Amino acid sequence: MKSITKKFFGYLVTSLLMLSMFNIILTAGADPDMPTLSVEPSLVVLTMGTETFDVNITIRDLSIDYRAVGLEFRLGFDIDLINVTTVVEGPFLQNPEWNHYGTLFFDLVEDSIILPNGTEIETHALVGNILLPNATGDYTDFAYGDGVLATITFTAISPDVIGICDLDLWGVAITNPEKERLPAHTEDGIAKIHVATISASPSLIMLPTGTDEFTVDIDISDLSLDHRCVGLEFRVEYDDTKLEVVDVVEGPFLDDPTWAPFGTIFFYIIEPPQEPPDPPNPAHILVGMLIVPNATGDWEFFPYGAGTLATITFRWIQFRDSYIIPYATALSNPESVRMPTHTEDAYVKMPRPTLSVDPSMFVGPIDTDEFEINITISDLYIEHDVVGIEFRLAYADMYLEVVDITEGPFMQAFGTTYFIPSVVSQTEGFPPHVHVGIVLLPPWTTIPEGEGTLATITFRWKQYGASELELMGDDWTPLQVRLVDTNSDTLPSPNLEHGYVEVPLATLCIEPPLTQAFFVGDTFDVNVTISDLSVAYHFVGIEFRVAFNDTLLEVVDVTAGPFLDSPLTFYNVDPEAWFPNGTYVPSSVVIGQLLLPPWTDFPYGDGVLVTITFEVIYQETMVDIAPPPLTGEFSIFAGAISDPAQNRQPVDYCDPAAAYEIYPRHLCDLNLDGYVGIDDLIICGEAFGSSPGHIRWNPEADVNGDNYVGIDDIVICAQNFGWPT
């Protein structure tokens, strides 16, 4: 940064200004997915007593394909209301991922001018930001993504200035290393300086049921004494095809005796919509309010703060969404100067019925591959006037097929219905789905209301899997859910609650959870069990591996358990190995079971698949201090269930599957009965005086391992007489 000379900086700024002034914009290969520069926040409301505010100029969706190394933009503003105090570089280009040598950041505030061609350029802030290249003038990395380019601080021209200022982004360009200027979208902002706010309250109004009337308050806030307000005027727009005005009454704010000791004048006019040739104007209420002055025509006090100006009572004509929009608002001071205000609208919303998949989450079943789900409706009011419902339910036909669609009892409770079910295969752009229409036939003596089941859909699992059950909403136009009233009009989209179904995951376990062994040569059995096996697996075969420590145990046999009906069972014992793909497989027994065709029924539920018989081939020995038992775990892995189409379906495993313990043997327990007793001393005595090759030689009696059974061996056994007590 410090090496950049003032001469270079001046040349750079002048060049950028010339390019912008004469609109020399070279657009090279501009991507249609352009990035966007925005003013954030897009709306700033500066209340009385506050003089400064900040806005960020942000960028989003900048693609690395732009190869961006610099940016330039201009932000126009009203110099009669605000001025720029400071401009600070944001963190976006400073990101070390692409900023290796620093940045060059500059800003200028330019007054409005008229170009030779007559074009007027408004007062604006010009901001530029450039990544500095390496020593050879090249770039290795480029900016991308989202972030803040600059923060601009504005200050009101004076404490009593009042007005609304547009913050317009223009002259935007993104520069690549070839000095091409690439375009970007822009999103402008608005600053409302020292203005009060007139708003419709509440901002969201839910249409009532059981009555056709509701009220809306027109409120004021952020009103300052400096406004010296003595009167107000505003208009309230509404949709007269859906709403009608019942009454308008003055609120308590302006009529407060604190500043209106002589009362107020309040009036309103309900204006119908005006069509050309008159100036077009929507249906609205014109409201005027004035604080009555004293006898000399003066005002001694002025209102401030917040409160309700008026309350409007509406009656809905159509039970549908609508709006209430204050506009053409103005405050007046004693000098009859009209001051603008900020406005905030209200949205009138029809309560939305809800269509749901019930249950929303379904895991199962176990004993059949068929299941039912209901499509239900709730929060339906008589005011909705609904006599027809159409919905589509998307599902994954790889896993599911539709067996049946039947009408539920809800609509039938209100009269004769026409029920139209169908199954639609996948078409271009749309997934496979169930399509249902239900119409309540006229005459309509009662209108449906409440909650209930519209339809019941029976699915069958084609194979193990899972599926979203999605009620197709507005994202699937024109196939979205529709509710139709007695005038054949479509209601706004209802709330949708989707569903999800899955086959329960079968689990393989080993029982018992712990096995203990005490001597080499001992054998024991463990069972491999399966639980939560669903018919939906369409089980015809299974394979899995059981890992074990082959230095301690060896497999004697594998036999089929009672769960499957006469399966073909086979196994192999494999030592540990590394596969060519780098996968390590521990020593294990690989087991397979197959049900022979024809396959008419499929197993389900819980039971024992196989029994594995192990033999102990090693244990530690001890004399004085017993070491802990040797321990290990049986773990099941590489399991898969096969269906008739040879699909490999996943399984779950108990974790850990099971454990085993092999206890050490005492060297003096010569008869392997787990106890050092007189019989062990007799065995040792029978070998007394022998060595290898002798007719009485017994290596087990050579307790100290010196190849001779002597008195020292008998002494050791005598010392441990009565072990393990």
Side-chain angles (χ1 to χ4, degrees), residues 214-462:
F214 63 94
T215 61
V216 178
D217 290 333
I218 305 301
D219 294 337
I220 191 168
S221 59
D222 300 323
L223 183 64
S224 168
L225 284 172
D226 294 330
H227 286 116
R228 299 174 64 245
C229 174
V230 296
L232 303 101
E233 174 188 338
F234 57 86
R235 297 172 187 256
V236 179
E237 179 186 347
Y238 64 96
D239 185 346
D240 65 341
T241 67
K242 298 175 181 177
L243 302 175
E244 66 178 2
V245 179
V246 176
D247 195 16
V248 183
V249 297
E250 183 178 5
F253 178 72
L254 207 61
D255 199 24
D256 190 319
T258 304
W259 44 72
F262 305 104
T264 60
I265 298 173
F266 178 84
F267 61 90
Y268 70 91
I269 301 172
I270 299 174
E271 297 274 14
Q274 297 177 353
E275 303 294 341
D278 296 326
N281 213 358
H284 65 275
I285 310 161
L286 170 62
V287 177
M289 308 175 68
L290 178 68
I291 297 175
V292 176
N294 60 21
T296 62
D298 298 319
W299 290 272
E300 301 178 36
F301 308 101
F302 301 101
Y304 61 90
T308 298
L309 299 174
T311 298
I312 306 172
T313 301
F314 287 98
R315 177 183 296 117
W316 57 261
I317 303 170
Q318 291 189 63
F319 196 70
R320 297 293 181 268
D321 293 356
S322 186
Y323 53 83
I324 296 172
I325 304 174
Y327 73 105
T329 57
L331 311 180
S332 293
N333 61 18
E335 292 76 37
S336 299
V337 175
R338 293 170 59 87
M339 295 169 283
T341 73
H342 174 52
T343 60
E344 294 178 351
D345 307 335
Y347 180 57
V348 181
K349 186 175 181 180
M350 174 196 78
R352 298 294 197 265
T354 300
L355 266 68
S356 306
V357 177
D358 181 37
S360 60
M361 174 70 179
F362 180 74
V363 180
I366 295 292
D367 58 352
T368 177
D369 55 4
E370 293 186 4
F371 64 93
E372 294 180 348
I373 61 99
N374 295 320
I375 305 302
T376 64
I377 191 168
S378 58
D379 301 324
L380 183 66
Y381 298 104
I382 196 169
E383 290 86 354
H384 287 123
D385 196 31
V386 168
V387 293
I389 299 174
E390 178 185 6
F391 66 83
R392 298 172 189 258
L393 182 73
Y395 63 95
D397 65 348
M398 175 180 179
Y399 303 110
L400 295 175
E401 63 180 355
V402 178
V403 177
D404 195 16
I405 308 168
T406 58
E407 183 177 2
F410 178 71
M411 292 289 279
Q412 292 176 336
F414 300 95
T416 303
T417 61
Y418 183 45
F419 183 72
I420 316 158
S422 63
V423 178
V424 181
S425 301
Q426 182 170 352
T427 57
E428 185 175 354
F430 299 105
H433 58 272
V434 174
H435 182 200
V436 172
I438 311 173
V439 179
L440 184 65
L441 299 177
W444 299 300
T445 55
T446 56
I447 298 297
E449 61 177 322
E451 59 185 39
T453 298
L454 298 173
T456 298
I457 305 171
T458 303
F459 287 101
R460 178 184 294 120
W461 288 107
K462 297 165 68 174

Side-chain angles (χ1 to χ4, degrees), residues 605-649:
D606 312 333
V608 175
L609 292 173
V610 296
T611 298
I612 308 173
T613 301
F614 288 96
E615 180 181 347
V616 178
I617 60 174
Y618 175 80
Q619 70 179 145
E620 293 188 329
T621 57
M622 56 159 289
V623 175
D624 296 321
I625 300 175
L630 299 172
T631 61
E633 287 186 353
F634 296 116
S635 59
I636 308 178
F637 67 103
I641 292 173
S642 182
D643 64 13
Q646 298 88 49
N647 295 307
R648 292 175 61 85
Q649 324 281 22

Side-chain angles (χ1 to χ4, degrees), residues 624-672:
D624 296 321
I625 300 175
L630 299 172
T631 61
E633 287 186 353
F634 296 116
S635 59
I636 308 178
F637 67 103
I641 292 173
S642 182
D643 64 13
Q646 298 88 49
N647 295 307
R648 292 175 61 85
Q649 324 281 22
V651 294
D652 199 6
Y653 314 104
C654 292
D655 185 23
Y660 52 88
E661 297 177 343
I662 302 175
Y663 282 82
R665 179 182 70 83
H666 199 289
L667 285 174
C668 293
D669 181 17
L670 303 183
N671 63 356
L672 303 180

